[in-house]
Amino acid sequence: GPSQRLLVPRLVDLPPGRARLLAARVDRLLPYGLEVSHLGGATFAVQSLPTALADADLAALLADVADELAEEGGPVSLIERLDLALATRACHTSVRAGQLLDEREMRALLASLDEVDFSVCAHGRPVAIRVSTAELERRFHRA
């Protein structure tokens, strides 16, 4: 999805092992809309990120990405691992069952759903389902 440049970079500190893994590979994140600079030691500056991850816990996100980078060379390609890590993190920032939304948030959610070109999330769960008029009538005892 689209990426947004941050007005002020967000600083993230990682555990030393994960920081070393990520520092050597920050350039691989750019195609995903994630612009990260290694500032030295365990500190990173996030300058841009995908809009779907705007409210994400960046320390957790970068730690997840570092973990996936650690598995590089395994049976699953690095690109697939990064896709999964970023998709999972984006999914975790989504609206949850039982979460209360005001009318403005509901309308914005429905409007943005019209722009989505997929039927399931990264975990295979349905994003939306089609319910026929007959099914609605049956469920509300109107048939």
Side-chain angles (χ1 to χ4, degrees), residues 130-139 142:
R130 188 172 302 276
V131 179
S132 70
T133 303
E135 176 68 11
L136 280 174
E137 289 173 346
R138 186 186 67 74
R139 289 187 176 245
R142 302 283 184 197

Side-chain angles (χ1 to χ4, degrees), residues 80-126:
E80 291 170 318
R81 289 184 178 285
L82 289 176
D83 280 344
L84 180 59
L86 294 172
T88 298
R89 188 55 58 183
C91 192
H92 286 187
T93 63
S94 62
V95 176
R96 303 276 188 191
Q99 182 176 342
L100 297 177
L101 301 174
D102 63 32
E103 185 177 341
R104 181 189 53 80
E105 291 170 316
M106 286 186 260
R107 289 185 186 281
L109 180 62
L110 291 172
S112 65
L113 190 58
D114 287 340
E115 298 172 13
V116 175
D117 191 24
F118 60 87
S119 61
V120 296
C121 75
H123 303 100
R125 295 185 190 105

Side-chain angles (χ1 to χ4, degrees), residues 1-132:
S3 181
Q4 77 178 47
R5 187 143 184 85
L6 302 175
L7 186 59
V8 177
R10 290 168 53 188
L11 300 181
V12 175
D13 287 314
L14 293 178
R18 285 178 168 161
R20 280 190 299 279
L21 285 168
L22 189 61
R25 296 172 177 90
V26 291
D27 57 317
R28 294 187 181 192
L29 303 178
L30 201 50
Y32 297 92
L34 198 57
E35 186 180 350
V36 179
S37 298
H38 183 222
L39 299 180
T43 304
F44 295 84
V46 179
Q47 286 111 356
S48 65
L49 67 157
T51 53
L53 299 174
D55 296 325
D57 174 352
L58 291 181
L61 171 66
L62 293 183
D64 287 351
V65 168
D67 287 345
E68 294 301 331
L69 291 169
E71 299 295 325
E72 184 177 5
V76 180
S77 76
L78 175 64
I79 290 173
E80 291 170 318
R81 289 184 178 285
L82 289 176
D83 280 344
L84 180 59
L86 294 172
T88 298
R89 188 55 58 183
C91 192
H92 286 187
T93 63
S94 62
V95 176
R96 303 276 188 191
Q99 182 176 342
L100 297 177
L101 301 174
D102 63 32
E103 185 177 341
R104 181 189 53 80
E105 291 170 316
M106 286 186 260
R107 289 185 186 281
L109 180 62
L110 291 172
S112 65
L113 190 58
D114 287 340
E115 298 172 13
V116 175
D117 191 24
F118 60 87
S119 61
V120 296
C121 75
H123 303 100
R125 295 185 190 105
V127 173
I129 58 170
R130 188 172 302 276
V131 179
S132 70

